[in-house]
Amino acid sequence: MKSTLLDWFPALHWVRTYTRGSAKGDLTAAAVVTLLLIPQSMAYALLAGMPAVAGLYASVLPLVVYALMGSSTVLGPGPAALRSIMSVAAVSAVVPLGHADFVSATLALAALVGVFLLIMGALRLGFLAGFLSHPVLNGFVTASGLLIAMSQLPHVLGTPVASANAGDLHPLTLAVGAGAALGLWLGKHRLKPALRALGVPVGVADTVAKASPLWVMVLFIALSAQLGWAASGVAVVGAVPSGLPPFTLGTVLGVDLGTWQALLLPALLIAILTFVEQVSIAQSMAAKRRESIDINAEMRAMGGANLAAGLSGGFAVGASFSRTLVQAEAGARTPLVNVFTAGFLLLTALFFTPWLQALPLAVLAVTILMALGSLLDFGSFAKTWRYSRADFCAQALTFCVTLGVDLVSGLMAGVVASLMLHIWHSSRPHIATVGNVAGTEHYRNVLRHTVVTHPQILGLRPDESLFFANARFLEDHVAAAVTAQPGVRHVVLLCSAINDIDASGLQSLETIQQRLSDQGIALHLSEVKGPVMDRLQHTAFVRHLSGQVFLTHHQAVTTLLSR
Amino acid sequence: MKSTLLDWFPALHWVRTYTRGSAKGDLTAAAVVTLLLIPQSMAYALLAGMPAVAGLYASVLPLVVYALMGSSTVLGPGPAALRSIMSVAAVSAVVPLGHADFVSATLALAALVGVFLLIMGALRLGFLAGFLSHPVLNGFVTASGLLIAMSQLPHVLGTPVASANAGDLHPLTLAVGAGAALGLWLGKHRLKPALRALGVPVGVADTVAKASPLWVMVLFIALSAQLGWAASGVAVVGAVPSGLPPFTLGTVLGVDLGTWQALLLPALLIAILTFVEQVSIAQSMAAKRRESIDINAEMRAMGGANLAAGLSGGFAVGASFSRTLVQAEAGARTPLVNVFTAGFLLLTALFFTPWLQALPLAVLAVTILMALGSLLDFGSFAKTWRYSRADFCAQALTFCVTLGVDLVSGLMAGVVASLMLHIWHSSRPHIATVGNVAGTEHYRNVLRHTVVTHPQILGLRPDESLFFANARFLEDHVAAAVTAQPGVRHVVLLCSAINDIDASGLQSLETIQQRLSDQGIALHLSEVKGPVMDRLQHTAFVRHLSGQVFLTHHQAVTTLLSR
């Protein structure tokens, strides 16, 4: 009981040894991350089709829950681009964007993602992440990045979403966007050297430069309010309510059954994707710090965070690579950094929202666009093409379906294609006919080496585990090989590359043995691996084997030749 | 062009060397099989929800087409139990049994199965059979056998299908069924010894005994006609039209689009199942006769046969194990045996159908029930349970869903479960930490053997190919192993069991190398297999490897120790 509690809430471990030194590191890091999170969280809220303030809500309670349940010391959870676009895609397929029920369905989706992650963590279903191959993930993320870019362009151009007419461009909005882009670029690449040149200490210069999205935001709020941009037709955030995050359990429970059903598959996919992303970030950071993480605890923590987001007016959250890096460099020591960050965001939601009113949407859109670089990875297409045509097919299919149909279909197409290609590839394993390298006890492929063979003995080495996808191929291959070598009396399967044999593989071995017996040929095995033999030795197949099981293939050949 | 024609029609090969001896063997075998096929084909027609005469039609043109396109010398195609129950299940889900469109939808299904098999054969998609694992197939076939039995019981009991009321039993029908069962049992087990005891030559006695289903049928037709059973309430076949098989292309083309769509998935599954069954029968027979078969030709031939069935008033056909055995034992030499059988069936359809009118349905139902033994394989459940719990789960799930929901869902559930379990199993490969067996150059699992290890070197041997399902597991495992051995400077992956590395596996190796570099640890590889190294050596991963690639693990350890 107590150990379960400690398992589920790793915070109970580190909180006992928490020191003043840790507090200093965590507080500093929280302050830096807050400067980054305020504009990002609102931008990702708008991307998800939610009001800007939902970004702040999604950064309070979820961060506290993650801090209590997570095992990574530096991971930065919260709103992130990929989940926001998946959220808006999934929800708008059920409820039209702008409809009164859109917000409640988004809350329900976040809660559902949380429940899936909690279940996956509790039942240790991390293997589900295995269904998403790297190329599929890459194709999906790159296509999503393009979709995000397309969704943000109208905000920068000042055109209505549906219009692509140059006459509808809004020059002032365009100028604001260009200015914000320039500001972000200068902040990222020029601010730190400039401050250092002015004699500012390196630590301060670094922090100031990191927070440049906030400075850009403050600058443009001031300009917008001063010059009355809203009246000139620049879209702004508008009135943002002040107060605590709302308790939205009632709203979520009020969502109708049909909506829940339609959100099931997207929620499962978002949950798996969130987990994959989070573990990859957490493992990278843990490796750098020589720490270890508990994968199941991570899943449960992100599940708790998403559930909290759904119940407190937020939307689906996940790990952010950029904020995690910033947080780690700024000196975060324990997950408590997230509690401090949540506190700062809460203060923002309580007291500073009136200041946000004049913020042009174009500035937030540019914030998103400038961060897309990490999602778009076209180089990986070329790399995959060079290494594996099959993987490239899966990647290209995922990319095209994600762009051309929708995100859920794209991801599903990728998963199905990966599985099909895997089964296709496994269904035709390499099976070498082997012979003796003269003067040694080694046996090698007759096609690659000069080897000695004997007409009465056929040595075959399947270079793959035997399972349902390739079991019948082995039957066919043995049948063909025996027909091609009419004098054969003994078939010896060299099993050194067989890591596992499932029930289908076993049944195929029985079939092969039966068919060989019908032809007066004995079946032998050699070099069977320990764990494989452990399972085989109690089977009728081995008990009634027409031949023998030999420790080495050389032993098999010399014994059979001497008969 | 010419070689394609020879490929598609293997008959063009053997017809040139056809001899009088072959003709004698083929004609005898055809005569024996005909005696078996007449009652069976009509019984399976009724099982498929078709009029009895459709069984005769399904045994004429399809057999001729198979003979022209098939590569197996003895395979007996035609109506068979499994396909008939799948056909009725698939069609009745779209068109109610007894509806005017039922027959045309059944014809369309057969044609669709044929088209799928032709495509699979032309594109060499035999690997699709790999999706059906042996346990799933077993669970499905056993459940189907039970469903067939349940569908036939009302015919034997004389009750309406829906009724289970004992008061509705029809005593005379029951007596007819019991009599037919006794007759079939005597014919199978007692007739041959009895004839031999009477001095009949063994060959004749054997043939007479094999044809006992026909004798039972003839006997009961005579009794039924003589005693006027139909008037006493015994259900009989009734009027059967005489004539050539109809040309039903127009009927098939008239089927509406919605029906075609609903039949797509069932047709694909029936096609795959038909192929699996056919290849397993053909391979067994080929092995006994030391012949070889062409799998793709077999697929195309059965595709042609099914298309022919759909266009000539039949229903989905496949290979029959019992008739194949009988045909082989009776001396069939070439596929021409099927043309002769088709000729005999054609004569029956033309001239003998009036005689079939009085045949009680109970006799045909008993014919089916007595043949079910080969489908019901409960022993395989126990065997699978003992060998592999995972495979047993897939088998049990398939069995339950097939019985409890429907056949298509059952098969799909089995396929999905096999894939899930395979990914789950592959996602946690065995990874051994290896050490040196003192005084040798061998490296073994530290948990199984007494071995020498060094604190600065970590040797890991993944016992599985690296692909998307287990790529991340390796990342996590290496991370944990390195954390557990703080003094480690070199990680050596012993790759002797890695048969393949896909793009995800490659990316994971890059991630592992990056994370290890962050900790000041070098990554090395040893004993990489030839084909794996062929692909790896042009990758950025190997070019920028922090460590080296060693031919043997021993070489790796001695080199690294001497540094």
Side-chain angles (χ1 to χ4, degrees):
Chain A
M1 179 64 207
K2 195 183 157 201
S3 85
T4 309
L5 202 68
L6 282 170
D7 249 25
W8 277 66
F9 297 97
L12 297 171
H13 287 289
W14 54 257
V15 83
R16 287 187 246 169
T17 55
Y18 200 72
T19 63
R20 189 176 292 230
S22 303
K24 191 169 162 251
D26 286 343
L27 255 174
T28 315
V32 175
V33 160
T34 299
L35 301 181
L36 200 62
L37 187 52
I38 292 174
Q40 279 191 359
S41 67
M42 292 197 299
Y44 295 139
L46 294 175
L47 177 56
M50 296 285 279
V53 72
L56 302 180
Y57 299 157
S59 310
V60 177
L61 208 53
L63 269 65
V64 175
V65 172
Y66 178 82
L68 295 177
M69 298 175 73
S71 69
S72 166
T73 53
V74 290
L75 196 86
L82 200 55
R83 246 158 316 284
S84 288
I85 186 120
M86 287 193 78
S87 175
V88 71
V91 174
S92 63
V94 196
V95 185
L97 199 64
H99 187 279
D101 291 341
F102 188 88
V103 169
S104 55
T106 301
L107 296 173
L109 180 69
L112 208 49
V113 170
V115 170
F116 273 126
L117 280 167
L118 282 169
I119 293 174
M120 283 163 60
L123 301 182
R124 302 172 176 272
L125 300 182
F127 84 94
L128 286 174
F131 282 96
L132 293 183
S133 73
H134 278 108
V136 165
L137 204 57
N138 249 313
F140 175 75
V141 169
T142 301
S144 302
L146 290 180
L147 288 174
I148 293 172
M150 286 191 276
S151 76
Q152 295 306 305
L153 274 184
H155 291 306
V156 181
L157 303 176
T159 58
V161 178
S163 161
N165 198 324
D168 291 342
L169 290 182
H170 190 264
L172 181 53
T173 302
L174 206 55
V176 169
L182 181 67
L184 286 171
W185 187 84
L186 288 175
K188 190 169 178 185
H189 298 284
R190 291 282 181 275
L191 188 55
K192 193 175 157 190
L195 289 173
R196 292 285 292 130
L198 292 174
V200 178
V202 62
V204 177
D206 198 51
T207 306
V208 171
K210 285 244 173 61
S212 53
L214 190 77
W215 312 141
V216 170
M217 193 175 101
V218 169
L219 174 68
F220 277 83
I221 288 176
L223 287 172
S224 170
Q226 209 61 39
L227 305 174
W229 282 350
S232 314
V234 174
V236 296
V237 168
V240 179
S242 293
L244 287 170
F247 182 58
T248 48
L249 177 61
T251 316
V252 168
L253 291 180
V255 169
D256 65 278
L257 194 64
T259 305
W260 284 110
Q261 283 173 342
L263 294 177
L264 271 181
L265 180 62
L268 179 63
L269 292 176
I270 295 176
I272 294 177
L273 210 75
T274 299
F275 166 65
V276 169
E277 208 179 27
Q278 169 194 13
V279 167
S280 113
I281 296 173
Q283 285 283 29
S284 303
M285 299 309 296
K288 283 207 177 102
R289 299 159 74 99
R290 289 221 170 199
E291 296 167 349
S292 67
I293 58 164
D294 175 346
I295 289 174
N296 295 298
E298 283 300 309
M299 250 189 290
R300 296 189 306 250
M302 200 54 91
N306 272 289
L307 191 56
L311 303 185
S312 64
F315 48 93
V317 296
S320 155
F321 194 43
S322 58
R323 291 199 302 273
T324 300
L325 276 179
V326 167
Q327 192 152 300
E329 283 175 36
R333 300 273 192 89
T334 75
L336 202 66
V337 61
N338 291 310
V339 176
F340 292 138
T341 307
F344 290 134
L345 267 288
L346 184 62
L347 293 177
T348 309
L350 285 174
F351 304 113
F352 299 107
T353 54
W355 299 20
L356 299 171
Q357 188 159 336
L359 175 62
L361 293 183
V363 175
L364 291 179
V366 166
T367 307
I368 294 180
L369 288 174
M370 301 286 281
L372 282 184
S374 65
L375 295 186
L376 304 176
D377 182 6
F378 293 104
S380 92
F381 284 85
K383 196 175 137 193
T384 310
W385 168 261
R386 278 196 303 273
Y387 185 71
S388 158
R389 298 291 187 276
D391 278 310
F392 177 81
C393 287
Q395 185 170 18
L397 180 76
T398 309
F399 179 81
C400 294
V401 176
T402 304
L403 267 190
V405 185
D406 63 54
L407 289 108
V408 167
S409 305
L411 211 46
M412 287 306 294
V415 169
V416 171
S418 302
L419 286 174
M420 294 283 287
L421 288 167
H422 172 63
I423 296 294
W424 172 71
H425 184 79
S426 311
S427 70
R428 312 161 310 148
H430 181 247
I431 301 180
T433 300
V434 296
N436 180 248
V437 180
T440 73
E441 299 195 354
H442 294 302
Y443 286 76
R444 294 280 183 275
N445 192 340
V446 296
L447 300 178
R448 284 193 176 223
H449 303 267
T450 312
V451 291
V452 182
T453 57
H454 307 280
Q456 71 272 41
I457 301 176
L458 175 61
L460 294 174
R461 188 192 71 215
D463 283 341
E464 186 92 63
S465 293
L466 303 183
F467 73 110
F468 61 86
N470 59 30
R472 287 185 192 87
F473 182 85
L474 183 65
E475 293 173 22
D476 297 343
H477 187 92
V478 172
V482 165
T483 309
Q485 189 174 327
V488 68
R489 310 289 307 151
H490 302 279
V491 170
V492 188
L493 287 185
L494 170 53
C495 303
S496 58
I498 297 178
N499 297 311
D500 191 34
I501 298 178
D502 79 351
S504 299
L506 179 66
Q507 197 155 337
S508 274
L509 288 176
E510 288 177 356
T511 305
I512 290 168
Q513 132 126 317
Q514 182 58 51
R515 288 181 187 162
L516 290 177
S517 288
D518 288 345
Q519 304 175 59
I521 302 173
L523 176 67
H524 310 266
L525 306 179
S526 72
E527 304 189 14
V528 184
K529 292 193 175 192
V532 175
M533 200 60 216
D534 288 351
R535 290 181 74 192
L536 277 187
Q537 65 193 0
H538 301 293
T539 62
F541 165 66
V542 162
R543 280 202 306 275
H544 304 136
L545 193 64
S546 51
Q548 289 171 252
V549 180
F550 295 97
L551 273 181
T552 71
H553 197 74
H554 189 62
Q555 206 177 318
V557 172
T558 48
T559 308
L560 296 174
L561 278 181
S562 68
R563 282 197 187 158
Chain B
M1 179 64 209
K2 195 184 160 198
S3 84
T4 310
L5 204 67
L6 282 171
D7 249 24
W8 277 67
F9 297 98
L12 297 173
H13 287 290
W14 54 257
V15 83
R16 285 187 246 170
T17 56
Y18 200 74
T19 64
R20 191 174 290 228
S22 303
K24 191 167 163 251
D26 285 344
L27 256 174
T28 316
V32 175
V33 160
T34 299
L35 301 180
L36 200 63
L37 186 53
I38 292 174
Q40 279 191 358
S41 67
M42 292 197 299
Y44 295 138
L46 294 175
L47 177 57
M50 295 286 279
V53 73
L56 302 179
Y57 298 158
S59 311
V60 178
L61 209 53
L63 270 66
V64 174
V65 172
Y66 178 82
L68 295 177
M69 298 175 73
S71 68
S72 165
T73 53
V74 290
L75 196 86
L82 201 55
R83 245 158 316 283
S84 288
I85 186 117
M86 287 195 77
S87 174
V88 71
V91 175
S92 63
V94 195
V95 184
L97 198 64
H99 188 279
D101 291 342
F102 188 88
V103 168
S104 55
T106 301
L107 295 172
L109 180 69
L112 208 49
V113 169
V115 170
F116 274 127
L117 280 167
L118 283 168
I119 293 174
M120 283 163 61
L123 301 182
R124 302 173 179 272
L125 300 181
F127 83 95
L128 287 174
F131 282 96
L132 292 182
S133 73
H134 278 108
V136 164
L137 205 57
N138 249 312
F140 175 75
V141 169
T142 302
S144 302
L146 290 180
L147 289 174
I148 294 172
M150 286 190 278
S151 76
Q152 295 307 304
L153 274 184
H155 291 307
V156 181
L157 302 176
T159 59
V161 178
S163 161
N165 197 323
D168 291 342
L169 290 182
H170 190 264
L172 181 52
T173 302
L174 207 53
V176 169
L182 182 66
L184 286 172
W185 187 85
L186 287 175
K188 188 169 181 187
H189 298 284
R190 291 283 182 273
L191 188 54
K192 191 174 159 189
L195 290 173
R196 293 284 293 130
L198 290 173
V200 176
V202 62
V204 178
D206 197 50
T207 306
V208 171
K210 285 243 173 59
S212 53
L214 190 77
W215 313 139
V216 170
M217 195 175 99
V218 168
L219 175 68
F220 277 82
I221 288 175
L223 287 173
S224 171
Q226 209 61 37
L227 303 174
W229 281 349
S232 314
V234 173
V236 297
V237 168
V240 180
S242 293
L244 288 170
F247 182 58
T248 48
L249 176 61
T251 317
V252 168
L253 292 180
V255 169
D256 65 279
L257 193 64
T259 305
W260 284 110
Q261 283 173 342
L263 294 177
L264 272 181
L265 179 64
L268 179 63
L269 291 176
I270 295 175
I272 294 177
L273 209 76
T274 300
F275 166 64
V276 169
E277 208 179 28
Q278 170 194 11
V279 167
S280 113
I281 296 173
Q283 285 283 30
S284 304
M285 299 310 295
K288 284 206 177 103
R289 300 159 74 99
R290 291 222 167 199
E291 296 167 350
S292 66
I293 58 164
D294 174 345
I295 289 174
N296 295 299
E298 283 300 310
M299 251 189 289
R300 296 189 305 250
M302 200 54 93
N306 272 289
L307 191 57
L311 302 185
S312 66
F315 48 93
V317 295
S320 155
F321 194 42
S322 58
R323 291 199 300 275
T324 300
L325 276 179
V326 167
Q327 193 152 302
E329 284 175 36
R333 300 274 191 90
T334 73
L336 201 67
V337 61
N338 291 311
V339 177
F340 292 140
T341 307
F344 290 135
L345 268 287
L346 183 64
L347 292 177
T348 310
L350 285 174
F351 304 113
F352 299 108
T353 54
W355 299 21
L356 299 171
Q357 187 160 336
L359 175 63
L361 294 183
V363 175
L364 291 179
V366 165
T367 306
I368 294 180
L369 287 174
M370 302 285 281
L372 282 184
S374 65
L375 294 187
L376 304 176
D377 182 6
F378 294 104
S380 91
F381 284 85
K383 195 175 136 193
T384 310
W385 169 260
R386 278 196 303 273
Y387 185 70
S388 158
R389 299 291 189 276
D391 278 312
F392 177 81
C393 287
Q395 187 170 19
L397 180 76
T398 310
F399 179 82
C400 295
V401 176
T402 305
L403 267 190
V405 185
D406 63 53
L407 289 110
V408 167
S409 305
L411 211 46
M412 287 307 294
V415 169
V416 171
S418 302
L419 285 174
M420 294 282 287
L421 287 166
H422 171 63
I423 297 293
W424 172 71
H425 184 80
S426 311
S427 70
R428 310 161 310 148
H430 181 248
I431 301 179
T433 300
V434 296
N436 180 248
V437 180
T440 74
E441 300 195 352
H442 294 302
Y443 286 76
R444 294 280 182 275
N445 191 340
V446 296
L447 301 177
R448 284 191 175 225
H449 303 267
T450 313
V451 291
V452 182
T453 56
H454 307 279
Q456 70 273 42
I457 300 175
L458 175 61
L460 293 174
R461 189 193 69 215
D463 282 342
E464 187 91 62
S465 293
L466 302 184
F467 72 111
F468 61 86
N470 59 30
R472 288 185 190 86
F473 182 85
L474 183 65
E475 294 173 21
D476 296 344
H477 187 93
V478 172
V482 165
T483 309
Q485 188 173 325
V488 68
R489 310 289 310 151
H490 302 279
V491 170
V492 188
L493 287 185
L494 170 52
C495 302
S496 57
I498 297 177
N499 296 312
D500 192 34
I501 299 178
D502 79 352
S504 298
L506 179 65
Q507 197 156 337
S508 274
L509 288 176
E510 289 177 355
T511 304
I512 289 169
Q513 133 126 318
Q514 182 56 50
R515 289 181 187 163
L516 290 178
S517 288
D518 287 345
Q519 304 175 57
I521 302 173
L523 176 67
H524 310 267
L525 306 179
S526 72
E527 303 188 16
V528 183
K529 292 193 175 193
V532 176
M533 200 60 216
D534 287 351
R535 290 181 75 193
L536 277 187
Q537 65 193 0
H538 301 295
T539 61
F541 165 67
V542 162
R543 279 203 307 276
H544 305 135
L545 192 65
S546 51
Q548 290 173 252
V549 179
F550 294 98
L551 273 182
T552 72
H553 197 72
H554 189 63
Q555 205 178 316
V557 172
T558 47
T559 307
L560 297 175
L561 277 181
S562 69
R563 282 192 188 165

